[in-house]
Amino acid sequence: MASVSIDLNADLGEGFGRWQLTDDEQLLSVVTSANVACGFHAGDAATMRRVCAMAAERGVRIGAQVSYRDLAGFGRRAMDVPPDELAAEVAYQIGALEVFTRAAGTRVSYVKPHGALYNRVVHDEDQARAVVDGVLLADGSLPVLGLPGSRLLETAEKAGLPVVTEAFADRAYTSQGTLVPRGQDGAVVTDPESVVERSVSLARSGTVISHTGEEIAVRARSLCLHGDTPGAVGLARRVRAELESAGVRVEAFA
């Protein structure tokens, strides 16, 4: 079999105050990249500091997971933010996380939008441009992680930023290669066997079966494992084990 590699990323630090959503410590023993919430959809200063310290100790790369300012909606509500304001808020979030990565002896390694913003910049050129402007304002060398074929990655590449393609084993795809909106039935793949099988297929062949039954190409360098689903840690461990059994090297892209 040809040698292939994949990065495993997960959304971490998604707590606020006394409320905790993800098992950050356990997931950091599995993933190679951590998308850390920067306080706009989840996360606070103490949580960011703690997760950055744990990630640095384990050699896990740290990415800024930037979002619309929407704590109440967990960043999953559609919002119309003026481009100049969004660019400033993206830069602000990256800068906040950078403080804690430096304190942990490392740096922010990449940027990934979250939730509604992630889905918006697949098609919306103005919002994609605003995110890219925010990244450039913070650090013009940071890679941008996103959906293959998205406006975000297209705009980032034109601006000279490194781009990294991402796939989701536990999210349903349309026949066009985009994610089925979370509000639709079947948008989240919950069967563990299916998630594991899809992970290996995405890594080995760059393909996945869409929600309507077609095999579609999804070429990705990183695979996202959601940490806010029941049994997330056990499933993440299974995915990594099966990938390595299939001859896939699990390693960070950054």
Side-chain angles (χ1 to χ4, degrees):
M1 294 186 295
S3 177
V4 295
S5 64
I6 196 84
D7 169 70
L8 292 181
N9 77 76
D11 302 345
L12 301 180
E14 290 184 327
F16 191 79
R18 296 179 62 185
W19 175 65
Q20 298 295 322
L21 179 63
T22 51
D23 189 341
D24 299 325
E25 185 170 7
Q26 293 302 315
L27 284 167
L28 283 168
S29 69
V30 180
V31 301
T32 47
S33 297
N35 317 315
V36 180
C38 299
F40 271 40
H41 74 280
D44 55 31
T47 301
M48 292 163 69
R49 183 179 185 182
R50 175 178 56 81
V51 173
C52 286
M54 289 193 297
E57 287 173 2
R58 292 160 176 76
V60 175
R61 301 298 187 270
I62 299 170
Q65 187 162 43
V66 298
S67 171
Y68 287 128
R69 188 188 292 271
D70 181 27
L71 276 175
F74 196 60
R76 288 182 176 162
R77 297 185 293 190
M79 303 183 78
D80 289 315
V81 180
D84 286 350
E85 183 178 334
L86 180 58
E89 291 188 339
V90 166
Y92 179 94
Q93 292 174 77
I94 297 169
L97 188 64
E98 182 71 12
V99 169
F100 299 115
T101 59
R102 286 185 178 273
T106 184
R107 293 199 62 187
V108 172
S109 295
Y110 63 95
V111 178
K112 174 185 172 180
H114 165 81
L117 181 58
Y118 187 99
N119 292 322
R120 180 79 171 265
V121 296
V122 171
H123 302 293
D124 190 314
E125 189 168 351
D126 289 339
Q127 295 282 280
R129 178 75 249 177
V131 171
V132 170
D133 285 345
V135 177
L136 291 170
L137 182 60
D139 183 341
S141 67
L142 285 174
V144 176
L145 180 62
L147 205 68
S150 65
R151 291 291 189 189
L152 175 66
L153 295 194
E154 177 184 316
T155 305
E157 193 166 30
K158 287 180 180 177
L161 293 171
V163 298
V164 181
T165 53
E166 176 181 40
F168 297 81
D170 61 355
R171 289 295 308 279
Y173 280 83
T174 69
S175 58
Q176 289 75 42
T178 58
L179 299 179
V180 174
R182 279 184 175 268
Q184 293 186 19
D185 290 341
V188 179
V189 180
T190 57
D191 176 54
E193 297 299 329
S194 295
V195 173
V196 172
E197 181 181 342
R198 288 158 64 91
S199 297
V200 174
S201 178
L202 284 163
R204 292 290 315 166
S205 64
T207 61
V208 69
I209 303 300
S210 75
H211 76 308
T212 49
E214 302 98 337
E215 184 178 77
I216 59 172
V218 181
R219 302 288 178 183
R221 177 65 186 86
S222 186
L223 183 65
C224 181
L225 304 174
H226 282 105
D228 59 348
T229 54
V233 173
L235 181 57
R237 286 175 175 154
R238 278 196 61 195
V239 166
R240 177 158 186 163
E242 289 298 325
L243 286 170
E244 291 174 337
S245 293
V248 178
R249 298 191 317 276
V250 178
E251 58 186 13
F253 64 81

